[in-house]
Amino acid sequence: MSTDSPGLADLAPRDLTWHPPALTPDYRSSRARAPGHKLLSLPPSGSTLCGPVFGHDLLGPHDHDLIVNYAAPGETAIGPRILVHGRVIDEDARPVPGALVEVWQANAGGRYRHRNDTYLAPIDPNFGGCGRVISDADGRYEFRTIKPAPYPWPNGVNFWRPAHIHISVFGHAFAQRLITQMYFEGDPLIRLCPIVQAIPDPTAVDTLIAPLDMEATLPHDMMAYRFDIVLRGRASTMFENRMEGN
Amino acid sequence: MAKLKETPSQTAGPYVHIGLAPAAAGFDIFDTTLGPDPATPDAAGEHITVEGVVWDGNGDPVTDVLIEVWQADAEGRYHTSPSNSFRGWGRVVSDFDSGAWTFDTIKPGAAPGEGAPHIAFWIVARGINLGLNTRAYFDDEAAANAGDPVLTAMPDDRRQTLIATRSERDGKPVYRFDIRLQGPGETVFFDV
């Protein structure tokens, strides 16, 4: 295959038992949207082992700062100020530099800035609720935001989403494409949420719960949460030298 | 060293647009927008429109879907670096009422080792726990399709779900590619 830059040499198969299955009836929206057939295995090829590269010049200086990136001059978003940071790495713990991390979330009242969200809590005029950042050479990323609130959702009579931040990650290969949600340590709604509990393995759920990171907290300014993101890694380490540099 | 596990997927939810297509959510925030189209009107090759609807198992349109596509250029070459006229990657959302989505691009050529010309799709929405991968092939590439190892490995009725159908509108080629998540005519989805 012909590309204008090398993609990954290979990718390990995805462990589908680690991800939520398509059909999780307690999460009602999955009932009519889950494919009935098993996924057809399509070994990674050149085209899915590469993907578009997003350069740092794409981003504005405040794209990663949700506290100010939609606020009027001199204003800031309402809510507990937090820093969310971590690394994008692969399954072999290698850093993934240049990964595009895009986030979106509800505001401190649990309301989304979206034309389809009609929840009672008010819109914050100074909060858009989205941001984006590109990981550095060591895979590190961070964004500043306010802690979102839980909110009710129409999965039945009385369902509440735990506070969460949606995270979309673009690594180096189209086959690594991933969307997930980050939760906050200590939230009692996590164990009650059918979306979270769609993940079969409790140890997998644990990886989505960001712990408070006191060391990264900025005194008198903002608390910090740590969230590392693991993308699919290489299938083999047999040819370390040849496969390095991805 | 023991391998780490991939971060588990969670649904993109109904408000994916806020993060990935804020204009659709109803606001303007960033100086640069990602998507929608994989190619601009300046790109070399045959300009085409690809459109369709994603249908759920009840026969209702999925009106909150977000789709990303990835394709080769007219010469069968994938562009990982940005280009002014051709990126090969696009991001589109459906109309919130009808579920109709559409994008403009150029028809991809056959890439060496990649089988018949096709566009890769990645589909996320509320109710989809792990992004769905599929491919759109072209019905006017019958010979190439007949030799494609992916298409020929599946039964006829399933293969047909991956074939976009060509028509003309105002002199411009339009390919229709409906995606069915569940039930009769369910689209083939891949573990890539």
Side-chain angles (χ1 to χ4, degrees):
Chain A
M1 194 207 63
S2 170
T3 68
D4 55 1
S5 90
L8 304 180
D10 204 350
L11 271 181
R14 190 165 244 161
D15 180 357
L16 294 173
T17 67
W18 185 252
H19 292 280
L23 179 61
T24 49
D26 289 348
Y27 172 29
R28 287 182 14 176
S29 290
S30 75
R31 295 180 190 175
R33 293 182 169 190
H37 289 266
K38 281 179 62 173
L39 300 179
L40 194 66
S41 181
L42 187 63
S45 64
S47 65
T48 53
L49 291 170
C50 65
V53 172
F54 300 98
H56 289 267
D57 56 345
L58 184 75
L59 305 186
H62 300 300
D63 282 9
H64 73 295
D65 189 344
L66 286 72
I67 295 175
V68 300
N69 73 10
Y70 197 71
E75 302 287 325
T76 58
I78 292 172
R81 296 159 60 86
I82 61 170
L83 174 77
V84 176
H85 76 115
R87 294 175 75 208
V88 185
I89 53 180
D90 71 13
E91 289 168 303
D92 296 304
R94 293 181 177 86
V96 180
L100 175 67
V101 179
E102 297 167 283
V103 301
W104 68 101
Q105 63 171 86
N107 69 22
R111 175 77 182 269
Y112 284 97
R113 183 177 288 280
H114 191 289
R115 65 181 77 199
N116 293 342
D117 188 7
T118 57
Y119 180 40
L120 294 169
I123 290 284
D124 176 353
N126 291 308
F127 186 66
C130 64
R132 52 192 189 179
V133 61
I134 293 174
S135 62
D136 70 13
D138 201 29
R140 294 185 191 283
Y141 76 94
E142 67 172 50
F143 55 95
R144 293 159 35 116
T145 187
I146 53 90
K147 191 172 179 183
Y151 57 84
W153 61 297
N155 194 56
V157 176
N158 188 21
F159 283 83
W160 295 77
R161 291 303 324 281
H164 63 277
I165 298 175
H166 296 267
I167 302 182
S168 163
V169 192
F170 224 120
H172 297 170
F174 199 61
Q176 288 176 307
R177 197 73 181 83
L178 181 71
I179 283 182
T180 190
Q181 300 182 31
M182 182 200 107
Y183 304 97
F184 293 87
E185 178 182 7
D187 189 335
L189 292 168
I190 292 171
R191 67 179 173 81
L192 301 177
C193 178
I195 290 177
V196 180
Q197 299 306 325
I199 298 171
D201 188 334
T203 61
V205 171
D206 288 345
T207 67
L208 298 185
I209 302 173
L212 178 67
D213 183 354
M214 279 303 286
E215 282 192 22
T217 292
L218 305 179
H220 309 293
D221 185 346
M222 55 178 67
M223 293 201 298
Y225 287 87
R226 168 91 189 208
F227 190 68
D228 289 333
I229 300 163
V230 182
L231 298 182
R232 292 172 67 185
R234 300 184 318 215
S236 167
T237 55
M238 287 174 62
F239 306 103
E240 194 73 17
N241 294 330
R242 184 165 68 78
M243 297 177 76
E244 197 60 69
N246 291 330
Chain B
M1 188 188 69
K3 281 209 167 215
L4 301 173
K5 299 294 286 186
E6 185 184 13
T7 296
S9 174
Q10 292 273 265
T11 180
Y15 304 130
V16 59
H17 318 89
I18 296 172
L20 304 188
F27 67 109
D28 177 29
I29 182 165
F30 299 131
D31 290 339
T32 54
T33 302
L34 295 178
D37 297 327
T40 73
D42 299 335
E46 184 186 24
H47 285 261
I48 63 173
T49 295
V50 182
E51 63 183 25
V53 171
V54 179
W55 303 95
D56 73 12
N58 297 325
D60 293 322
V62 177
T63 57
D64 50 12
V65 73
L66 181 136
I67 296 170
E68 290 184 355
V69 296
W70 176 234
Q71 65 165 89
D73 68 12
E75 307 299 318
R77 187 178 166 87
Y78 285 84
H79 292 241
T80 57
S81 298
S83 143
N84 287 335
S85 61
F86 184 83
R87 181 180 268 286
W89 173 84
R91 175 184 279 172
V92 296
V93 301
S94 64
D95 181 271
F96 289 166
D97 296 317
S98 69
W101 52 264
T102 181
F103 61 90
D104 292 332
T105 187
I106 55 97
K107 190 178 176 191
E114 297 287 320
H118 64 270
I119 300 174
F121 279 60
W122 182 74
I123 300 157
V124 295
R126 171 178 63 89
I128 295 176
N129 285 326
L130 176 65
L132 294 169
N133 287 282
T134 188
R135 288 178 167 187
Y137 291 83
F138 302 95
D139 70 342
D140 55 335
E141 296 284 348
N145 293 345
D148 183 276
V150 175
L151 289 176
T152 52
M154 63 183 77
D156 284 349
D157 58 332
R158 301 228 69 206
R159 182 184 313 124
Q160 285 309 313
T161 69
L162 302 181
I163 312 292
T165 53
R166 180 178 175 121
S167 62
E168 300 264 331
R169 185 189 305 145
D170 302 329
K172 187 181 175 190
V174 177
Y175 287 90
R176 177 81 189 183
F177 186 59
D178 281 343
I179 295 164
R180 290 178 173 78
L181 298 180
Q182 190 186 91
E186 179 178 310
T187 298
V188 171
F189 298 105
F190 296 106
D191 176 21
V192 300

